[in-house]
């Protein structure tokens, strides 16, 4: 079963939560932000390299693939928005 990113951040990267509440406004870093996904991909890949159990590595690789796919979509959207802003400022 794959974890939601906010659950992953709570489990894998202590310090992102300011308290034990699960409301997104209580996070230092929004769990749905592009930066949170960058961190998640980074830490999940680190964990994958260190994992010894092959079944756990397979599950981590699946989680990493899911996180990476979402991050790629977010990065693409951000690049398009920046490109649109650049072209709008050039025409103004």
């Amino acid at each position: 079963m794959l974890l939601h990113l906010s659950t992953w951040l709570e489990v894998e990267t202590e310090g992102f939560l300011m308290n034990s509440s699960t409301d997104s406004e209580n996070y230092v870093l929004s769990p749905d932000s592009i930066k949170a996904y960058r961190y998640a991909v980074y830490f999940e890949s680190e964990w994958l390299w260190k994992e010894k159990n092959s079944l756990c590595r397979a599950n981590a690789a699946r989680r990493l693939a899911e996180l990476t796919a979402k991050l790629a979509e977010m990065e693409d959207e951000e690049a398009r928005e920046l490109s649109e802003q650049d072209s709008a400022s050039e025409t103004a």
Side-chain angles (χ1 to χ4, degrees):
M1 180 170 127
L2 296 175
L3 296 174
H4 183 269
L5 179 61
S6 62
T7 304
W8 183 91
L9 287 172
E10 288 179 44
V11 172
E12 296 292 330
T13 57
E14 293 195 23
F16 279 99
L17 275 177
M18 292 191 299
N19 61 38
S20 62
S21 174
T22 58
D23 296 333
S24 62
E25 69 268 2
N26 293 323
Y27 286 88
V28 172
L29 184 61
S30 170
D32 295 323
S33 70
I34 193 167
K35 193 169 187 177
Y37 273 86
R38 288 175 184 156
Y39 278 120
V41 167
Y42 173 79
F43 286 115
E44 192 69 28
S45 66
E46 290 287 314
W47 184 77
L48 176 63
W49 277 100
K50 295 175 184 175
E51 181 56 53
K52 304 291 184 217
N53 183 299
S54 60
L55 182 59
C56 290
R57 273 196 317 272
N59 289 330
R62 287 184 187 95
R63 282 193 309 272
L64 182 57
E66 183 177 291
L67 290 168
T68 304
K70 176 65 176 171
L71 177 59
E73 291 172 9
M74 295 172 83
E75 295 283 4
D76 185 53
E77 182 179 330
E78 184 178 272
R80 270 190 270 116
E81 289 172 2
L82 289 174
S83 177
E84 289 171 5
Q85 288 176 359
D86 288 345
S87 63
S89 66
E90 288 175 2
T91 59

